[in-house]
Amino acid sequence: MAVTAETLRIVNRLRHDLTVMTDAQTLALTRAWVEAWDVLAPEFQAAVVELMAGAVDGKISRAAVARNIRMRDALQTARTMLDELASLTQVTVSNDVGQAVLDALDGHAALIGSQLPPNAASAGVSFTRMSPDALTAIVERTTKRIHSDTKPIPADVERIMKRQLVRGIAVGDNPRATARRIMKETEGRFNGGLTRALTIARTETLDAHRAATKASEKANKTILEEWEWHAALTARTCPSCWAKHGTRHPLDEDGPNDHQNGRCARVTITKSWADFGFDIEEPPSLTKNAEAVFNDLTPATQRDIMGAQRLELLQSGKVSWADLSSVKQTDGWRDSNVVTPVKDLLAKVA
């Protein structure tokens, strides 16, 4: 049940491979969204200029915006492109999910092997590989969820853009500045769809990887004990994930259910060598103690990770390491562990 140097190497490799996969998704989807806006921008620019020309006493009424044919055409073109972008997101992520599941299975076999005693196979301790049907079921469930999550994006983004555009506009003394502002805000609303697509892509890919690991655990539960939460423990890692690192959980518990876009790993822990009947000394676990690692960081880095007020509460002993993480419920999304707001920490110690 010891996490070895080889275990940590495998965890890092799996994390790296997933990062490469999700970075490629980000690049492909971002490029598609940018190219779509490059096509849409002239359409909206022409509509805005036309509206400016029809301003009365420096104002354009909501009704005038709503009646503008160019604006309606631009919004319709945007909706068509958003539908295409949503489909691209579905295809991009669905294609990667199958590979993520296979990588998880291979990685899980390696993780278990890295913790077993020498000559474990000769003692009848072995890894059971999942059936293809079980793997297919995981991929299908994830694919359906991806389709369900991305389907509302076009209508939602179109509605937000329309709300931004179809309203009274005060042109003021500088129509060009007003036009630039409108275009910038409209582009921001359009790119809100990209933000959602990227979150769906990364989170669903990682969750499919974790689901495959959990399913593989079920097939090998006779030789397994529990699973351990592993965070990256870098300056980019949030306080919640720092707090969860190294915690152990029963095999039937989902996770790690970190925040959206999280990159924590589920590391399966085998039973002890004594449980397998080996009368030899087992090496200690090499999982890093998150608190010890954090305490070795510079004060500036600690402050960057925690924030000044949260860090003061932690270092004064007013809150515990475990208090830094809370479970958040979000409609249409799984529960996730997120950073406990400072106001909640203050309420705890009041």
Side-chain angles (χ1 to χ4, degrees):
M1 61 187 297
V3 171
T4 66
E6 178 64 9
T7 307
L8 296 177
R9 188 192 68 78
I10 294 167
V11 171
N12 289 334
R13 175 176 60 80
L14 291 171
R15 181 180 284 120
H16 171 267
D17 290 347
L18 279 170
T19 298
V20 170
M21 182 179 291
T22 53
D23 282 353
Q25 293 171 350
T26 298
L27 180 62
L29 295 178
T30 301
R31 180 183 291 126
W33 241 268
V34 169
E35 291 175 353
W37 180 251
D38 286 345
V39 173
L40 289 172
E43 303 290 332
F44 281 107
Q45 182 73 38
V48 170
V49 170
E50 185 175 286
L51 282 167
M52 294 296 172
V56 178
D57 296 329
K59 294 184 179 180
I60 304 168
S61 69
R62 182 188 299 265
V65 179
R67 289 195 306 267
N68 186 273
I69 294 175
R70 282 197 179 215
M71 187 63 74
R72 290 206 306 265
D73 289 346
L75 284 167
Q76 181 57 50
T77 303
R79 175 57 186 267
T80 299
M81 288 194 164
L82 285 163
D83 285 336
E84 294 172 353
L85 291 168
S87 295
L88 173 65
T89 303
Q90 294 173 16
V91 172
T92 299
V93 186
S94 296
N95 287 344
D96 284 341
V97 164
Q99 187 59 54
V101 167
L102 291 175
D103 289 348
L105 186 60
D106 291 340
H108 192 230
L111 279 174
I112 291 177
S114 71
Q115 299 175 56
L116 294 177
N119 303 316
S122 62
V125 181
S126 62
F127 176 82
T128 300
R129 195 170 183 88
M130 292 172 58
S131 70
D133 288 345
L135 296 176
T136 299
I138 294 172
V139 173
E140 288 180 348
R141 283 197 302 271
T142 304
T143 300
K144 288 180 180 177
R145 194 162 56 241
I146 292 167
H147 288 187
S148 176
D149 291 341
T150 55
K151 189 175 180 179
I153 289 178
D156 290 349
V157 175
E158 181 193 23
R159 184 170 58 252
I160 293 170
M161 291 174 68
K162 187 179 292 184
R163 187 184 306 143
Q164 165 65 32
L165 291 162
V166 184
R167 65 180 187 178
I169 301 171
V171 178
D173 296 330
N174 194 333
R176 290 184 180 180
T178 302
R180 284 196 299 270
R181 175 182 58 77
I182 292 172
M183 288 298 295
K184 182 178 180 180
E185 291 175 354
T186 303
E187 182 181 7
R189 301 302 192 274
F190 178 78
N191 286 332
L194 171 60
T195 301
R196 285 173 59 184
L198 293 177
T199 296
I200 291 167
R202 182 178 182 87
T203 305
E204 293 295 356
T205 300
L206 295 178
D207 280 0
H209 191 277
R210 294 162 182 168
T213 300
K214 183 182 176 183
S216 183
E217 290 171 350
K218 186 175 181 180
N220 291 276
K221 61 183 179 181
T222 58
I223 63 172
L224 303 179
E225 186 70 30
E226 52 196 349
W227 65 269
E228 191 171 74
W229 188 307
H230 275 235
L233 300 187
T234 68
R236 292 178 54 208
T237 303
C238 77
S240 173
C241 294
W242 272 90
K244 298 301 292 184
H245 176 81
T247 58
R248 291 198 171 185
H249 307 263
L251 295 173
D252 60 0
E253 181 180 318
D254 291 335
N257 285 344
D258 48 2
H259 48 80
Q260 296 171 10
N261 296 313
R263 52 202 171 104
C264 291
R266 179 185 181 108
V267 178
T268 307
I269 305 298
T270 66
K271 292 182 177 179
S272 70
W273 291 4
D275 289 335
F276 295 134
F278 286 83
D279 188 19
I280 54 178
E281 184 177 357
E282 186 169 0
S285 174
L286 296 183
T287 297
K288 294 180 179 179
N289 181 289
E291 293 185 63
V293 173
F294 184 81
N295 290 336
D296 284 340
L297 299 175
T298 65
T301 302
Q302 292 178 347
R303 192 164 50 251
D304 288 343
I305 294 170
M306 294 287 173
Q309 198 168 13
R310 185 180 289 104
L311 181 62
E312 191 279 328
L313 289 170
L314 181 65
Q315 293 182 333
S316 66
K318 294 178 180 177
V319 300
S320 69
W321 197 250
D323 292 329
L324 301 177
S325 181
S326 300
V327 176
K328 179 181 179 181
Q329 295 180 326
T330 304
D331 290 341
W333 207 269
R334 61 162 169 78
D335 292 352
S336 55
N337 286 87
V338 299
V339 182
T340 305
V342 170
K343 63 180 180 62
D344 291 349
L345 293 176
L346 291 173
K348 183 181 179 66
V349 302

